[in-house]
Amino acid sequence: MNPQDEKVIEVRGLVSRFGDTVVHDRINLEVRRGEIFGLVGGSGSGKSVLLRTLLLLIRPAEGEVDLLGQGTDVMDSSTLNQLRRRLGILFQQGALFSSLSVLDNIAFPLREYTELSSAAIVDIARLKLDLSGLPPETAAKFPRELSGGMLKRAALARAIAMDPELLFLDEPTAGLDPVSANAFDELLLKLKHDLGLTVVMVTHDLDSLWRVTDRVAFLGNKRILALSPMAELSESSDPMIAEYFSGPRGRAAGSEHRGTRSSVSDAGRRD
């Protein structure tokens, strides 16, 4: 089997329910190894709930979620925790510890979950800092001293500290200026190629969707209304999807990026 055909996430018949409120009704999806998979939809469509479910923070009311070839519905808490350590997460606001330096933030999961020596942990943290595109002197800075773009990169460095097999990104370019957002997209493509990452990304950034994703799932009406590459998704005749992508920003993003997706990916591979 081609490694890129391997399913690292399989969701079957997922129902998410809080009291009498049903957020997801019989969702099915799969994420393949090595792809950047986008999750989009309007406000209240359940993107964050689905992300937290895939991160094993919420158990579904019904259905099955398999991660990295393992069924999670029958796992005990200890086994779930072991599986969670194979996942990385970049939170929307970075969620770095304000009292720790950037280097100590990156090193934190290594100190918590490994038995590596202090010297080895520092070496790994500096390597992840370099991979994130931050200069060495950033290591001694505190989160409050970083720009928005640098903060996102530092948070990304921490997210990949444990060499995750699955990386989850929650609105990674939110709050960034266009230049910083574009630089983050290019970094993500490079890391995907260099580290063989599989990425699941929730975003409202239409430019990012066009630049970096291989496939995108559109959530609406408690279901996945469509799942396809952006070029196909943006041409959907479904009224909810068409409205989402037919506004001025959606038309501008599609006009700019249509037909250029492969060249961006090639640029990421050349770096």
Side-chain angles (χ1 to χ4, degrees), residues 130-143:
D130 180 63
L131 286 173
S132 71
L134 290 171
E137 58 268 24
T138 309
K141 294 183 180 293
F142 288 86

Side-chain angles (χ1 to χ4, degrees), residues 210-247:
W210 277 101
R211 285 193 194 106
V212 306
T213 60
D214 295 290
R215 295 187 303 146
V216 177
F218 192 101
L219 277 71
N221 296 331
K222 305 177 184 179
R223 297 178 178 272
I224 292 179
L225 299 181
L227 198 169
S228 63
M230 272 297 296
E232 297 175 24
L233 188 64
S234 64
E235 297 294 334
S236 173
S237 60
D238 182 282
M240 186 176 293
I241 300 174
E243 181 181 13
Y244 192 90
F245 291 114
S246 65

Side-chain angles (χ1 to χ4, degrees), residues 38-206:
L39 289 174
V40 300
S43 179
S45 60
K47 301 182 297 296
S48 295
V49 172
L50 181 55
L51 187 68
R52 293 175 67 191
T53 303
L54 297 179
L55 280 164
L56 307 178
L57 300 176
I58 299 176
R59 284 192 181 269
E62 299 177 35
E64 300 175 337
V65 177
D66 292 358
L67 292 185
L68 301 172
Q70 300 185 52
T72 64
D73 54 313
V74 294
M75 284 185 178
D76 58 27
S77 58
S78 176
T79 308
L80 283 172
N81 283 334
Q82 291 178 19
L83 185 55
R84 288 185 186 111
R85 292 172 192 175
R86 300 168 65 186
L87 315 177
I89 173 66
L90 169 60
F91 297 98
Q92 183 172 343
Q93 303 300 328
L96 296 177
F97 298 110
S98 60
S99 61
L100 297 181
S101 69
V102 168
L103 190 71
D104 285 336
N105 265 286
I106 300 170
F108 184 83
L110 295 164
R111 291 186 173 127
E112 285 290 306
Y113 301 118
T114 76
E115 297 182 358
L116 295 171
S117 67
S118 294
I121 288 174
V122 169
D123 287 344
I124 293 171
R126 290 191 181 280
L127 172 62
K128 304 304 182 182
L129 184 78
D130 180 63
L131 286 173
S132 71
L134 290 171
E137 58 268 24
T138 309
K141 294 183 180 293
F142 288 86
R144 63 180 176 275
E145 301 176 283
L146 303 180
S147 67
M150 295 175 72
L151 188 70
K152 295 280 190 175
R153 287 173 180 258
L156 180 61
R158 184 179 65 180
I160 63 174
M162 296 277 288
D163 294 324
E165 296 174 62
L166 272 170
L167 178 64
F168 294 87
L169 308 179
D170 186 11
E171 299 287 359
T173 57
L176 298 184
D177 63 82
V179 173
S180 296
N182 183 63
F184 189 94
D185 288 341
E186 292 180 358
L187 172 63
L188 183 59
L189 287 170
K190 187 175 188 303
L191 290 177
K192 172 198 170 183
H193 173 255
D194 292 349
L195 303 181
L197 289 173
T198 302
V199 181
V200 176
M201 178 173 70
V202 171
T203 184
H204 287 94
D205 188 331
L206 296 175

